Amino acid sequence: MSLLVVGSVAFDTIETPFGKAERVLGGSATFFLFAASYFTPQRLVGIVGADFPRETLQELQERGVDISGLTIDPAGKTFHWTGRYAGDMNAAETLGVSLNVLGTYKASVPESFRDSSYVFLANDHPRTQLDVLASVRGNPFSVADTRDFWIAEEPRLLGELLQRIDGLVLNEHEARLLTGEHNLVKAGGVILKRGPEFVILKKGEHGALLFCGEGTFAVPAFPLETVRDPTGAGDAFAGGLMGYLASTGKRSLEAIRRGITYGTVTASVAVEDFSVEPFRRVGKQALAERHDAFLRAIRF
Amino acid sequence: MSLLVVGSVAFDTIETPFGKAERVLGGSATFFLFAASYFTPQRLVGIVGADFPRETLQELQERGVDISGLTIDPAGKTFHWTGRYAGDMNAAETLGVSLNVLGTYKASVPESFRDSSYVFLANDHPRTQLDVLASVRGNPFSVADTRDFWIAEEPRLLGELLQRIDGLVLNEHEARLLTGEHNLVKAGGVILKRGPEFVILKKGEHGALLFCGEGTFAVPAFPLETVRDPTGAGDAFAGGLMGYLASTGKRSLEAIRRGITYGTVTASVAVEDFSVEPFRRVGKQALAERHDAFLRAIRF
C-alpha cells in the first residue's frame, strides 16, 4: 500500500562524544525514508535547495522513494541544523538553525499522491499537518509527530490534529508538556482521550510505550553496544513502523505492535553512526536477522 | 527449595513528592522477604534492636519466614535510614543513617540454614558476603547485590565475590562505576567476564537488562500509573526472582528469565506505596493476575 511522508530533508552538523559530522544528510523525512525503505516504496513531500546533491536524490529513488513531491528550489539552500549531544546523549542541544528553503515553504501534496493509504506527518506546524491530511482522499492511516514548540505555541490546532489522526508518536518530555502529567502512563491515557486511536511514547534507549483502548504495552529498546549519534532515531522508528504496516496493508493493534518491533530495530540501526550511514551498511537480510535477534531478546 | 536471605531489617523515614512516612518498616531483607513470600518459605539472617515490633516479627513468620537467624539485640536500636526522593524519583538522597545495631553486627549463618539451596546476599560488605556464602554447604544458587560504596572502597574483595556468585544484580550507576563503561551493554559484558554466570542491570521505571553467556535480554518495567515510593524496588525485584526460582528448584536461563518477569511484578507492587504496605494489599491471586497482565503487555 502507498506510504506518504511529509517532513524535512536537511543537512545536519552534529557533534557527539564519539565524533563530529559536518553537513551530512539529515532531516525527519530522510530518516523515515531510509528506515521504511526496508519494507515498501514511499512518496516524499518536502523541499531542498539547489545545493542538495543529485546523488542523494538518486539514492532515495533507488531505495524506492517517489521524489516527485520534492520541491527543489533553484534559488535557495537546503535546511541546515547544527546540534550537539553531550553526556548520556538523551537530548540534543541545538546550536544553530538555518531554515533556508524551509522558511517560506508550506507542504502541499501533489494530486498523484492524494490516494496514499498510509501517511506520516513528521514534526511540522499543526496547521500544515492538518492541511496535508485533509488533502489526502479516503481514510488514510495517519500517524503524526510533533514537538515542544508546537505544544506550547499551537495548542488549539494541535488539539484539532489529535482528533484527526490515528496515532501520535512523541517523546517523554513532549508527553509531559502536552498533558501536565509527570507519570507517563497517566500522560498516555490523557492524550488518548483527546482523540487518537493510539499513542506511542518513545523513550530512546529505554524503549517505547504503546497506549490504546486495549491497554498499555511496553517494549524495550534493542540493547546496543555502540551508539554514536542518536539523531533521527525517532523518525527511523516511525519509518520502520509505518513501512511495515504499509507493506502488510494492515492497521490492527496486532499489526501496530508488530510494527513497533520493526520500528525499534530500524531506530537501533539509525543510532549506530552519524547520518544515514548505518542504513547503507545494513541490508534487508541483516535487518531481518536483527529483528529476529530482537524478538529473542524480549521474549520473556 | 530452601531460600536464604542475608540483609538489613530497618526503619525508614522517607519523603517523596507524594507524601512522607515516619519510621516505617524497611530494609533490603524486608522488601526481599515480602516479595519472595508469594512463592516460597524463606530463611532470614539479620539483626534488629529491642525497639522492633513483635507484631512485625509475627507478620514475617505468617508469611513463611524462619526468623531463627534474626538476632534481636536487647541493648540496641534497629537500623534507621532517612531519605528523600525528589523530581523524577530515580535516586534517593540519604538524609541520615543511624546504624545502631548494624554498626557492630557481622552476619553469620546458623547451622540449621547452612543447607540452603538458594542464597540472596543483599548489599553488605563484600567480606561479609563472601563469608556468608562460604558458610553455606554444597553448591547453592547465589545472587548478590552491592552498592557504589563497596565498589569504590573494596574493589578487591568485590572482585573475589564476583568469582563466587552465580548472579549479580546492580543498577546503572553501579554498573558504570564498577566497569568504567558508560554504555550499559558494554558494562554488562565486562562484569560477566569477571566471574558471574549472569548480571541483571536494574533500570527502575525503565525495566532491566539480563546479560549472560547466551546473550543480552531486555525487559521493560510494569507500566504503572501510581508510584509513591521507589524504596525497596530493587530488593523486591530480587525477592520475586529468587522466590520464583526457589519455588521451582530450577536455575536454568529459561527459569531466570521467567523469574525476572516475577521480579518485575513484585517490584511494581513495592513502589505503589510507602514501606511494605502494598504487599499487604496485593494477595497471591492478585499477584498472579498482575503477572498475566504484564506478560500480555510485553508480548510483541
Side-chain angles (χ1 to χ4, degrees):
Chain A
M1 311 280 276
S2 47
L3 171 59
L4 170 66
V5 56
V6 183
S8 63
V9 178
F11 290 129
D12 288 347
T13 293
I14 302 161
E15 198 176 339
T16 82
F18 301 96
K20 189 168 177 178
E22 295 261 13
R23 215 168 164 271
V24 290
L25 182 59
S28 56
T30 307
F31 283 102
F32 181 95
L33 291 166
F34 272 79
S37 69
Y38 289 110
F39 306 96
T40 189
Q42 299 147 84
R43 296 162 166 183
L44 165 64
V45 167
I47 188 168
V48 292
D51 55 349
F52 198 76
R54 192 174 295 268
E55 313 86 71
T56 307
L57 295 177
Q58 203 176 326
E59 183 180 14
L60 288 172
Q61 288 177 298
E62 283 163 6
R63 285 185 169 263
V65 181
D66 182 339
I67 60 167
S68 61
L70 181 70
T71 304
I72 301 174
D73 181 342
K77 288 170 73 179
T78 301
F79 171 50
H80 188 165
W81 175 75
T82 303
R84 177 167 60 189
Y85 294 84
D88 63 1
M89 303 210 295
N90 279 332
E93 180 192 354
T94 292
L95 301 176
V97 172
S98 303
L99 283 178
N100 299 333
V101 292
L102 263 193
T104 52
Y105 175 71
K106 191 169 177 316
S108 154
V109 182
E111 179 56 35
S112 59
F113 286 1
R114 294 189 179 187
D115 62 349
S116 298
S117 318
Y118 291 79
V119 177
F120 181 66
L121 305 163
N123 160 50
D124 204 332
H125 194 299
R127 176 77 270 152
T128 304
Q129 292 178 309
L130 278 163
D131 290 348
V132 162
L133 197 53
S135 72
V136 179
R137 283 188 296 271
N139 178 29
F141 180 83
S142 58
V143 173
D145 193 3
T146 189
R147 54 165 296 191
D148 49 6
F149 182 79
W150 308 121
I151 293 169
E153 300 296 323
E154 296 288 359
R156 198 186 56 76
L157 284 171
L158 191 61
E160 212 177 299
L161 181 72
L162 289 178
Q163 293 176 16
R164 305 284 170 85
I165 53 178
D166 293 280
L168 180 73
V169 295
L170 77 179
N171 68 29
E172 295 168 277
H173 163 62
E174 291 155 1
R176 286 173 175 144
L177 194 65
L178 181 56
T179 63
E181 280 288 352
H182 184 80
N183 180 284
L184 296 175
V185 181
K186 280 187 186 159
V190 169
I191 302 171
L192 268 191
K193 283 196 190 125
R194 296 187 61 188
E197 290 294 312
F198 66 93
V199 175
I200 297 175
L201 214 153
K202 301 170 292 176
K203 302 195 297 171
E205 64 168 323
H206 299 302
L209 292 170
L210 164 66
F211 304 94
C212 59
E214 291 80 355
T216 302
F217 303 92
V219 67
F222 191 94
L224 281 177
E225 286 205 15
T226 306
V227 178
R228 285 168 56 87
D229 176 14
T231 309
D235 296 301
F237 176 92
L241 165 66
M242 294 293 280
Y244 168 76
L245 288 173
S247 75
T248 63
K250 293 178 184 165
R251 45 168 82 186
S252 64
L253 169 60
E254 199 190 321
I256 292 167
R257 289 177 68 177
R258 183 91 183 162
I260 285 173
T261 65
Y262 281 105
T264 299
V265 170
T266 47
S268 82
V269 173
V271 303
E272 285 190 335
D273 212 337
F274 288 87
S275 185
V276 299
E277 261 323 305
F279 292 105
R280 293 175 177 143
R281 289 179 212 146
V282 176
K284 280 191 186 183
Q285 180 59 30
L287 191 93
E289 284 164 15
R290 194 185 283 219
H291 185 252
D292 287 345
F294 180 61
L295 292 186
R296 283 195 302 275
I298 65 165
R299 215 167 256 155
F300 268 81
Chain B
M1 308 282 275
S2 47
L3 171 58
L4 169 66
V5 55
V6 183
S8 64
V9 179
F11 290 128
D12 288 347
T13 293
I14 302 159
E15 198 176 340
T16 81
F18 302 97
K20 189 169 176 178
E22 294 261 12
R23 214 168 165 273
V24 291
L25 183 59
S28 57
T30 307
F31 282 102
F32 181 94
L33 291 166
F34 273 80
S37 69
Y38 289 110
F39 306 96
T40 189
Q42 299 146 84
R43 296 161 167 183
L44 165 64
V45 166
I47 189 169
V48 292
D51 57 348
F52 197 77
R54 193 174 294 268
E55 313 85 71
T56 307
L57 295 177
Q58 204 176 328
E59 183 181 16
L60 287 172
Q61 287 177 299
E62 283 162 5
R63 286 184 169 263
V65 181
D66 182 338
I67 61 168
S68 61
L70 181 69
T71 303
I72 301 174
D73 182 342
K77 288 170 74 179
T78 301
F79 171 51
H80 189 165
W81 176 75
T82 303
R84 179 168 57 191
Y85 294 84
D88 63 0
M89 304 211 295
N90 278 332
E93 179 192 355
T94 292
L95 300 177
V97 172
S98 303
L99 282 178
N100 298 333
V101 294
L102 263 194
T104 52
Y105 175 71
K106 190 169 178 315
S108 154
V109 181
E111 179 55 36
S112 59
F113 286 1
R114 294 188 179 187
D115 62 349
S116 298
S117 317
Y118 291 79
V119 178
F120 180 66
L121 306 162
N123 158 50
D124 204 332
H125 194 298
R127 176 77 268 154
T128 303
Q129 292 178 307
L130 279 163
D131 291 348
V132 162
L133 197 52
S135 72
V136 178
R137 284 187 296 272
N139 178 28
F141 180 83
S142 59
V143 173
D145 193 3
T146 191
R147 55 166 293 192
D148 49 5
F149 182 79
W150 308 121
I151 294 169
E153 299 296 323
E154 295 289 357
R156 199 187 56 78
L157 284 172
L158 191 61
E160 213 175 298
L161 181 72
L162 289 178
Q163 293 177 16
R164 304 286 170 83
I165 53 178
D166 294 280
L168 180 73
V169 294
L170 77 179
N171 67 30
E172 295 167 277
H173 163 62
E174 292 155 359
R176 286 171 176 147
L177 194 65
L178 180 57
T179 63
E181 280 288 353
H182 184 81
N183 180 283
L184 296 175
V185 181
K186 279 187 186 158
V190 170
I191 302 172
L192 268 191
K193 283 197 190 123
R194 297 187 60 187
E197 289 293 312
F198 66 94
V199 174
I200 297 175
L201 215 153
K202 302 170 294 177
K203 301 195 296 170
E205 65 169 320
H206 298 304
L209 292 171
L210 165 67
F211 304 94
C212 59
E214 290 81 355
T216 301
F217 303 91
V219 67
F222 190 94
L224 280 177
E225 287 205 15
T226 306
V227 178
R228 285 169 56 87
D229 175 16
T231 309
D235 297 301
F237 176 92
L241 166 67
M242 294 293 279
Y244 169 77
L245 289 173
S247 76
T248 63
K250 293 177 185 164
R251 44 168 83 188
S252 64
L253 169 60
E254 199 190 319
I256 292 166
R257 289 176 69 176
R258 183 91 182 162
I260 284 172
T261 65
Y262 281 106
T264 300
V265 170
T266 48
S268 82
V269 173
V271 303
E272 285 191 335
D273 211 338
F274 289 88
S275 185
V276 297
E277 263 322 305
F279 291 105
R280 293 175 176 142
R281 289 179 211 145
V282 176
K284 279 191 186 184
Q285 180 59 30
L287 191 92
E289 284 163 16
R290 193 186 284 219
H291 185 252
D292 287 346
F294 179 61
L295 292 185
R296 283 195 302 274
I298 65 166
R299 217 167 255 154
F300 268 80

